[in-house]
């Protein structure tokens, strides 16, 4: 039997979501479908603790609250003003784990390189994120989400 990772009970948020209940188990693949404006992204933001529910409960098991990878809905849209490279975007996931002065470990670097090769973006390491195609940007953001080896991966309207 797979272990329960997240349980949502009677979740409400303003007038957008009403009485949502669900369970997410290890190994589950879940799709949330609905019309535009139906609250899909709001539910994702509640699961990520970006928003607080009006009422109801979200319970996290096995300390996964900090082990959720996330690729946002508009991750591939940039205006070109932010001059970050692919490598900088991917490594930015470590900002919460490290101070400005702590370097990323060799093991973390090796894993980043493994993921970049697996998603066929290793040759884009020094390219500016804003100059990539939409598909390349999507792969960069997926790699960024996978770098911390999440137990849950949330993709909000992925273009894959």
């Amino acid at each position: 039997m797979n272990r329960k990772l997240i349980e949502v009970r009677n979740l409400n948020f303003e007038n957008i979501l009403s009485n949502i209940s669900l369970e997410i188990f290890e190994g589950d693949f879940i799709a949330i479908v609905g019309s535009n404006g139906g609250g899909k992204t709001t539910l994702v933001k509640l699961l990520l603790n970006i928003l607080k529910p009006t009422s109801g409960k979200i319970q996290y098991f096995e300390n996964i609250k900090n082990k959720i990878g996330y690729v946002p809905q508009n991750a591939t849209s940039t205006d070109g003003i932010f001059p970050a490279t692919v490598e900088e975007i991917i490594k930015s996931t470590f900002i919460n784990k490290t101070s400005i002065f702590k370097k990323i470990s060799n093991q973390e670097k090796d894993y980043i390189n493994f993921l970049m090769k697996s998603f066929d973006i290793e040759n884009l390491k020094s390219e500016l994120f804003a100059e990539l195609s939409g598909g390349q940007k999507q792969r960069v953001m997926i790699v960024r989400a996978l770098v911390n080896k999440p137990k849950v991966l949330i993709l909000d309207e992925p273009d894959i």
Side-chain angles (χ1 to χ4, degrees):
M1 183 168 143
N2 291 340
R3 301 177 305 213
K4 188 185 300 186
L5 299 177
I6 301 173
E7 182 176 342
V8 176
R9 288 288 169 242
N10 305 315
L11 186 68
N12 297 288
F13 183 76
E14 298 177 1
N15 63 348
I16 300 170
L17 297 175
S18 177
N19 200 30
I20 304 295
S21 294
L22 64 98
E23 296 176 328
I24 300 174
F25 290 86
E26 185 177 58
D28 281 353
F29 288 87
I30 297 171
I32 302 169
V33 295
S35 60
N36 288 346
K40 299 179 299 293
T41 297
T42 299
L43 178 58
V44 166
K45 289 179 179 180
L46 287 160
L47 290 172
L48 293 168
N49 207 27
I50 294 170
L51 297 174
K52 301 291 182 204
T54 305
S55 64
K57 179 180 171 184
I58 301 174
Q59 185 174 359
Y60 303 92
F61 298 88
E62 301 196 21
N63 195 27
I64 66 117
K65 193 173 186 177
N66 296 320
K67 296 296 283 179
I68 297 175
Y70 175 54
V71 179
Q73 182 175 6
N74 297 318
T76 62
S77 62
T78 59
D79 57 11
I81 295 174
F82 187 64
T85 66
V86 166
E87 185 173 35
E88 290 166 339
I89 293 286
I90 292 170
K91 287 181 177 179
S92 71
T93 195
F94 291 107
I95 289 174
N96 290 335
K97 279 179 59 176
T98 63
S99 73
I100 293 172
F101 304 107
K102 184 178 180 279
K103 293 188 177 192
I104 296 172
S105 73
N106 286 335
Q107 185 178 7
E108 290 165 331
K109 286 178 188 176
D110 289 345
Y111 191 59
I112 288 170
N113 289 332
F114 165 77
L115 287 173
M116 290 179 73
K117 184 172 183 166
S118 298
F119 281 83
D120 196 27
I121 59 170
E122 72 274 15
N123 62 322
L124 303 175
K125 185 186 281 193
S126 300
E127 299 295 322
L128 291 176
F129 182 77
E131 295 177 0
L132 301 180
S133 72
Q136 291 169 326
K137 289 177 183 177
Q138 188 74 23
R139 285 183 278 154
V140 169
M141 296 309 290
I142 292 169
V143 168
R144 184 181 184 278
L146 292 174
V147 163
N148 280 326
K149 301 177 184 175
K151 290 191 177 275
V152 174
L153 180 61
I154 297 175
L155 306 169
D156 191 354
E157 294 196 29
D159 292 330
I160 55 175

